[in-house]
Every structure is written in structure tokens, then in C-alpha cells.
Amino acid sequence: MTGRETAVAVRFGPLRKRLLSLGVGEIVAAAVFAAVPANLAFVAADGAEAALWFAVAPLLSVLVQGGVYWLLARKHLPATIPPHFARIYRGLRVLDPIVILGCGIGVVATWPGPSLSAVLVVFVWLFAAAEYINYFHIRLAYPWPVWVGRVGRRSTPRLVRDLRAV
């Protein structure tokens, strides 16, 4: 390793570790959200399986996109993500709201009626929309003690900053 490579490794080591944690965390979260609905007995009892899957699908998509982004950002430090990945994420920024809206229509079409499952379905679908906003418009993810103060600042997400820099 050259002196420059060592300096970059030392300087960006903590950030690389953080990006790895974020990337793996989002992918693990997607795996959990994919596994849990199949194992909720009350969802089946309420007849809400289809509605829940319509709510979960965009969430899985956005979580995996986020996880892959963090891993790409880690790999390409200190530079931004490469232009071909930026084009993909610009396309996803347009496609994701269509998927979220389409799945929202699927939720309505398969609505289970008033039940605990219905609350879960709405929560999961809204979480998908919030994750999309968090990655592509306004940063929403902060620790609870400082959440109100920082969300009010309307910070630009790192992914959007990377897309602008490419």
C-alpha cells in the first residue's frame, strides 16, 4: 500500500465502517420484512395477506436500493458513485413513486377491512413512502433525541448529493 492509499484508508476508515453498517443493515431489514409477513397468523386470519404484500413490496425495493447504495458509496470512497450507477438511481427516483402508488392501489383493492392487520398494512406502506422520501428527497433518519431539530433543517440525503455531484 502506498503512502497515499494508507492516508486515504486512515481518513475514510470510520466512514467506510459506517457505510458498511448502513448497507448491511438495510439489506438485513429487507430480509426481515420479507420473512415476517409470511409468519403472522393474525394476518392470515384477517384475510390480509395480499394487502400486506402490496404494502411490503415497495418497502423491500427501497430498502434494498438503499443498502446497495451504501455499499457502492463505501466501495468508491472518496469519490462519488460511478455515473452508470447514478443513472440507475436517477431512474429509480422516478420509478419508485410509481411503484409505491401502484402498490397503494393494490392495498386498497385487497383491503382486509377494519382489523389489526389493516393497521399493520397502512403502517408498512407509509414506512415505504417515508424510506423513499428519506433516500431521494429529505433526510428523515436521525436518532430520536435530535430528530425534531434535525428534520426541520430539511437536510439533503447523501444519495441525492452524490447524484448531483456525478
Side-chain angles (χ1 to χ4, degrees), residues 100-117:
I100 292 168
L101 181 61
C103 286
I105 292 168
V107 165
V108 170
T110 59
W111 187 248
S115 65
L116 179 59
S117 297

Side-chain angles (χ1 to χ4, degrees), residues 43-60:
V43 172
D46 291 341
E49 300 98 335
L52 184 56
W53 282 110
F54 274 116
V56 167
L59 179 59
L60 297 178

Side-chain angles (χ1 to χ4, degrees), residues 61-147:
S61 176
V62 173
L63 288 174
V64 170
Q65 290 168 31
V68 169
Y69 164 71
W70 292 123
L71 296 175
L72 285 170
R74 177 183 186 273
K75 180 178 192 249
H76 295 284
L77 275 177
T80 60
I81 61 174
H84 58 283
F85 289 120
R87 280 191 297 277
I88 291 169
Y89 277 91
R90 283 188 190 106
L92 291 170
R93 185 176 187 179
V94 173
L95 182 63
D96 283 345
I98 296 167
V99 170
I100 292 168
L101 181 61
C103 286
I105 292 168
V107 165
V108 170
T110 59
W111 187 248
S115 65
L116 179 59
S117 297
V119 173
L120 178 65
V121 167
V122 170
F123 175 77
V124 170
W125 186 85
L126 288 173
F127 188 44
E131 281 290 331
Y132 167 76
I133 291 166
N134 182 55
Y135 274 108
F136 289 104
H137 295 286
I138 301 166
R139 183 172 174 200
L140 300 174
Y142 295 100
W144 280 113
V146 297
W147 189 84

Side-chain angles (χ1 to χ4, degrees), residues 146-158:
V146 297
W147 189 84
V148 172
R150 291 199 181 164
V151 165
R153 294 181 193 165
R154 298 181 57 90
S155 176
T156 302
R158 181 183 169 109

